[in-house]
Amino acid sequence: QVQLVESGGGLVQAGGSLRLSCVDSGRTFSRNKMGWFRQTPGKEREFVAAITWAGANTYYTDSVKGRFTIARDDAKNTVYLQMNSLKPEDTAIYYCAARTRNGDTWSSLNEVGDYDYWGQGTQVTVSS
């Protein structure tokens, strides 16, 4: 069973940094593809970043490329999202997700329906 718990959100000024963490309490973490999504009120949940098995491939939405970095530590069952140069438009609830099915290409990892398990979310607020 996959259970995801995010942490690391908070309030930060524009230009600042935060690192989100997501711990998976299950026993299959190393085989899972992991993703980060975010959502603001009244909008659909949107893809932010994803990472495949052993970190072989990473994917990002265009708006965060060069600012955000996704990484994983399989020994700790943890996936991270390092967020630098934060902007007010990055304000959202950030969700961690796990894909246990086959498929590790961009087309299999950039939509909500591509994932099987979700965390409860962590709030990120960037002030101007």
Side-chain angles (χ1 to χ4, degrees), residues 6 34 37 47 63 65 111:
E6 302 99 331
M34 303 299 296
F37 285 72
F47 172 79
S63 63
K65 284 180 181 177
E111 295 185 357

Side-chain angles (χ1 to χ4, degrees), residues 15-113:
S17 298
L18 282 174
R19 188 177 79 158
L20 305 183
S21 299
C22 172
V23 178
D24 176 2
S25 61
R27 295 186 292 177
T28 63
F29 178 80
S30 64
R31 300 196 298 270
N32 296 339
K33 284 70 69 176
M34 303 299 296
W36 286 96
F37 285 72
R38 63 188 179 187
Q39 188 170 23
T40 55
K43 293 189 176 181
E44 293 186 354
R45 194 168 296 187
E46 67 170 0
F47 172 79
V48 176
I51 188 166
T52 61
W53 179 80
N57 294 294
T58 56
Y59 306 103
Y60 300 91
T61 192
D62 286 345
S63 63
V64 308
K65 284 180 181 177
R67 300 189 298 122
F68 290 12
T69 302
I70 188 170
R72 64 190 298 160
D73 185 339
D74 289 345
K76 296 182 178 180
N77 277 21
T78 301
V79 61
Y80 303 97
L81 185 67
Q82 177 67 44
M83 305 186 296
N84 299 329
S85 301
L86 282 162
K87 305 175 181 180
E89 52 263 43
D90 294 318
T91 295
I93 299 175
Y94 283 71
Y95 296 90
C96 171
R99 177 182 173 93
T100 59
R101 292 167 275 162
N102 289 335
D104 61 359
T105 60
W106 162 257
S107 62
S108 299
L109 293 172
N110 71 97
E111 295 185 357
V112 170

